[in-house]
Amino acid sequence: MIRQTDFFLEGDRRGVLLIHGLTGTPTEMRMLGKGLNRAGFTVHGMQLAGHCGDAEDLLATDWRDWYASVERAADALRAKVDHLFVGGLSMGALLALKLAAERPDDIAGVGVYGATFRYDGWSIPWKARLSFVLPLIKRLGIARERMFIEQPPYGLRDERLRAQVSAAMNSGDSTLAGLPGNPWHSLADLRRLSKEVRRQLGDVVAPCLVAHASEDDVASVRNARLVIRRVSAPAQLLLLDDSYHMITIDRQRRTLIDHSVRFFNTIAPARRATALAG
């Protein structure tokens, strides 16, 4: 059964929509969200369709459902703010870029965190790199129950946090740290989404902060450089040398928060409170 785990942090008229990754949860965006909120931003850490339940809940959805849930969340937040930013981690970064490409008049800036167009990090086994066959497997309707089980280091350089996340993933409660693996059919949809977003990168005209771990275990820096190279917008590259894939919660999360706050502030500065005359 799917449980609702999204969060909303009230701030000023500048909003940030945060999008978690495939099989993840809004929890992986919460520390970033709190940091942005302390800087004045209104933040919604959304929950993607089909997530925070079991594998069957996820398999009942595809990438179009995930993106549709992003659009609904963006519409709701846009109604509350004057400036709307969007940021996403891993697959969430692809969904954020797609939103920016399709809604250039609505999105003021994009946080592209650990973008994953391809699983090509140093910890990915060779079998998992054969993902190009997964769309065919899904079309044939076979291997629906199969999944790639997550392996250490789980995107985390911080060993203490890694142990906590590992325990949470294997607890049976997917709201804590997501599912323990990625269903093959869901990975097939990620590949379709990746292909779609690659085609749309040139339509992204909102400024982008592209943050990536220099030793990303899941998705190499080539993913970040693809974004820098293809978007039509000004893009800043932030490489983090003491984190792995989950940069929103790993060792340099405060660095990521600080850079995100500064980046969004340069686009939409906080308004100074006007003192009332006595």
Side-chain angles (χ1 to χ4, degrees):
M1 181 181 70
I2 293 177
R3 289 172 54 191
Q4 203 63 30
T5 63
D6 61 334
F7 61 89
F8 185 84
L9 305 172
E10 188 77 44
D12 59 26
R13 298 286 296 179
R14 300 170 302 156
V16 186
L17 179 66
L18 295 178
I19 311 168
H20 62 81
L22 178 63
T23 75
T25 81
T27 301
E28 64 200 37
M29 309 303 288
R30 188 176 292 274
M31 285 189 280
L32 174 59
K34 287 182 176 179
L36 290 165
N37 182 246
R38 284 194 297 271
F41 294 90
T42 293
V43 179
H44 180 200
M46 65 162 295
Q47 179 174 317
L48 291 172
H51 288 69
C52 298
D54 58 23
E56 283 301 315
D57 292 318
L58 180 61
L59 288 166
T61 61
D62 62 21
W63 74 264
R64 293 177 181 82
D65 299 308
W66 307 335
Y67 182 61
S69 63
V70 170
E71 289 188 301
R72 289 192 295 272
D75 288 339
L77 185 54
R78 186 68 183 89
K80 297 180 174 70
V81 299
D82 299 324
H83 304 280
L84 178 62
F85 299 93
V86 61
L89 173 66
S90 194
M91 182 186 76
L94 273 59
L95 292 167
L97 287 164
K98 182 171 178 60
L99 187 71
E102 297 191 353
R103 299 191 177 192
D105 295 332
D106 287 340
I107 305 303
V110 190
V112 183
Y113 306 124
T116 305
F117 290 89
R118 180 181 298 174
Y119 285 100
D120 60 354
W122 58 262
S123 74
I124 302 299
W126 68 268
K127 288 189 291 186
R129 299 188 186 211
L130 300 177
S131 61
F132 61 89
V133 303
L134 293 176
L136 174 61
I137 287 174
K138 182 175 182 180
R139 282 198 299 273
L140 293 174
I142 60 177
R144 190 174 187 274
E145 73 289 349
R146 298 292 299 275
M147 67 169 55
F148 287 110
I149 300 300
E150 293 275 356
Q151 299 292 330
Y154 306 114
L156 292 163
R157 195 162 191 153
D158 186 311
E159 294 180 0
R160 178 188 58 81
L161 187 57
R162 185 189 306 164
Q164 293 175 358
V165 167
S166 175
M169 282 195 303
N170 292 295
S171 69
D173 183 356
S174 68
T175 65
L176 299 174
L179 294 173
N182 292 293
W184 284 15
H185 284 201
S186 296
L187 288 171
D189 276 293
L190 172 56
R191 188 167 180 87
R192 291 193 182 102
L193 173 64
S194 173
K195 186 176 180 180
E196 174 88 2
V197 176
R198 281 172 185 261
R199 288 198 299 260
Q200 293 180 299
L201 286 175
D203 296 328
V204 177
V205 295
C208 297
L209 172 64
V210 183
H212 214 93
S214 57
E215 297 181 40
D216 195 310
D217 58 314
V218 173
S220 77
V221 177
R222 287 190 290 271
N223 290 268
R225 298 196 188 282
L226 172 69
V227 177
I228 295 285
R229 192 168 63 248
R230 292 198 183 179
V231 295
S232 299
Q236 297 179 19
L237 177 61
L238 170 64
L239 291 180
L240 301 169
D241 60 4
D242 195 25
S243 296
Y244 289 157
H245 185 63
M246 302 294 289
I247 57 176
T248 55
I249 61 175
D250 209 356
R251 288 179 178 173
Q252 291 171 287
R253 57 186 178 271
R254 290 182 180 84
T255 300
L256 182 67
I257 290 169
D258 291 344
H259 275 78
S260 298
V261 167
R262 285 199 297 270
F263 180 76
F264 294 147
N265 269 334
T266 61
I267 299 168
R271 293 181 180 177
R272 293 183 179 274
T274 304
L276 296 176

